[in-house]
Amino acid sequence: MAGKQGKDLALSMLRTLPRVCLNNIRDNPGAKKPSHRGRGQHGGDKHGAGNKGSGQRQNFMRTGYETGNTPFYLRFSREPYYKGHHLRREYPPLSLQQLQMFIDTNRLDVSKPIDLASLLNTGLYNIKLEWKHAGVHLTDEGAECFKAKINIEVQWASEPVIAVIERNGGTITTAYYDPHCLFALKDADKFFTSGEPIPRRMLPPTDCLEYYTSAATRGYLANPEEISYERLVLSQKYGYEVPKIEDDPNYEMLIQRKDPRQLFYGLEPGWVISLKDKAILKPKAEYLKEFYTS
């Protein structure tokens, strides 16, 4: 009888008492001990902060502090060579071999002029404005395998590159783009979607004005007659015959140039492009026309 009553008592307790779960159990007394050190225990009263100085006070040292030594920027004198180094423009390289690959894989159309916008649209060439990139630097790597006849506009090119382009019957122009225009060129779809008018291109700064006005570098501000003379001089220097562009069936395409204020081929500064409506909004006020064409 005692056993039967004990079983009934246990079953009645299970029916009435709550079930054992994680929120109603606790550790045995003394099982968990505090992790911190008490004051004055274990032979020290520093609480892990150490002796004296900023380590004890936990005010962390500033970046570049050399714990009492003479700092680096005071120990060595100023280097004038690096003055303004972070503001210098950079031109990411694009070789002639890569350019020929873009043409062979139909990423570039040689029947139309090639500029920075068309190179960025390939998806294989990119510029980073936060790194002070200012455009394309066309290099002579792969000059022996470049055979295309193109009309290209870049931002920097050396003399051998110009000779290779003109030896094949093409034309090359070096042109400057200010940072505001580079922002519009980097992602044209995003810029047109923003609804902003196409900016006018600013003139080059004084440190590169000589480069873009020189006929030897095929600057876009140079005299066309001087460019014709420099084409002949360069052909005599490198030993090839200058092809007559006037007799070429693609003559109109090869001589096509942008206006010094123009950003996109076929689009004028001040126009607003609506990709959603597939429409072009042109300014009608006279002061706006004068501003964008001046």
Side-chain angles (χ1 to χ4, degrees):
M1 291 295 293
K4 186 176 181 181
Q5 290 179 356
K7 294 180 181 178
D8 294 340
L9 179 61
L11 290 173
S12 63
M13 291 179 65
L14 286 175
R15 293 190 183 98
T16 57
L17 293 176
R19 297 178 66 87
V20 178
C21 56
L22 292 176
N23 61 354
N24 60 11
I25 61 174
R26 65 183 64 180
D27 297 321
N28 296 326
K32 295 188 65 175
K33 296 181 179 180
S35 59
H36 62 275
R37 298 177 61 183
R39 184 180 297 275
Q41 294 180 358
H42 306 288
D45 57 353
K46 306 300 183 185
H47 306 286
N51 295 318
K52 298 182 180 180
S54 59
Q56 182 186 19
R57 297 176 183 86
Q58 295 183 1
N59 55 337
F60 300 102
M61 293 175 287
R62 61 174 174 80
T63 304
Y65 181 66
E66 299 187 20
T67 62
N69 298 326
T70 304
F72 177 83
Y73 64 90
L74 294 178
R75 193 159 60 244
F76 296 95
S77 61
R78 178 181 66 91
E79 292 288 345
Y81 171 78
Y82 295 106
K83 182 179 179 181
H85 185 74
H86 64 291
L87 300 175
R88 296 180 181 178
R89 291 180 298 275
E90 296 185 7
Y91 301 90
L94 175 69
S95 66
L96 290 173
Q97 182 179 3
Q98 291 174 309
L99 185 61
Q100 185 67 52
M101 186 266 292
F102 293 168
I103 296 172
D104 295 341
T105 55
N106 295 327
R107 288 182 168 91
L108 288 175
D109 188 4
V110 296
S111 64
K112 297 178 181 179
I114 300 173
D115 62 344
L116 180 58
S118 58
L119 290 173
L120 293 174
N121 288 338
T122 61
L124 301 176
Y125 183 83
N126 190 26
I127 60 174
K128 297 183 178 181
L129 303 181
E130 63 273 14
W131 290 5
K132 303 298 179 183
H133 288 177
V136 186
H137 176 200
L138 195 60
T139 63
D140 58 354
E141 182 182 357
E144 64 280 354
C145 62
F146 186 78
K147 304 298 180 182
K149 181 171 60 176
I150 56 175
N151 176 10
I152 189 170
E153 178 190 83
V154 295
Q155 282 60 62
W156 202 270
S158 60
E159 188 179 80
V161 173
I162 298 174
V164 171
I165 297 291
E166 294 180 349
R167 182 186 62 191
N168 296 338
T171 56
I172 183 172
T173 307
T174 55
Y176 171 78
Y177 290 101
D178 56 277
H180 189 48
C181 293
L182 290 172
F183 178 79
L185 284 169
K186 179 175 173 57
D187 193 345
D189 291 342
K190 181 179 179 181
F191 176 76
F192 292 151
T193 306
S194 66
E196 296 184 12
I198 300 175
R200 61 174 182 173
R201 193 165 19 150
M202 297 290 102
L203 293 176
T206 55
D207 58 344
C208 61
L209 183 61
E210 182 180 356
Y211 181 85
Y212 291 113
T213 56
S214 173
T217 57
R218 308 302 187 264
Y220 74 116
L221 300 177
N223 188 352
E225 296 181 357
E226 296 181 1
I227 291 179
S228 300
Y229 174 74
E230 291 294 337
R231 284 171 58 90
L232 180 61
V233 171
L234 193 62
S235 65
Q236 294 176 351
K237 180 178 180 179
Y238 284 87
Y240 63 89
E241 186 177 355
V242 182
K244 291 185 178 180
I245 302 179
E246 296 80 4
D247 301 336
D248 196 285
N250 299 324
Y251 173 72
E252 296 296 332
M253 184 275 295
L254 292 174
I255 66 170
Q256 190 173 352
R257 297 288 184 275
K258 293 180 184 177
D259 186 81
R261 296 295 189 186
Q262 192 176 2
L263 193 58
F264 298 98
Y265 279 108
L267 300 176
E268 298 295 334
W271 291 5
V272 178
I273 310 301
S274 177
L275 297 179
K276 182 178 180 181
D277 300 332
K278 296 183 179 180
I280 299 177
L281 307 177
K282 303 179 182 180
K284 297 181 179 180
E286 293 299 329
Y287 73 94
L288 288 176
K289 294 180 181 179
E290 183 180 358
F291 172 78
Y292 283 108
T293 57
S294 63

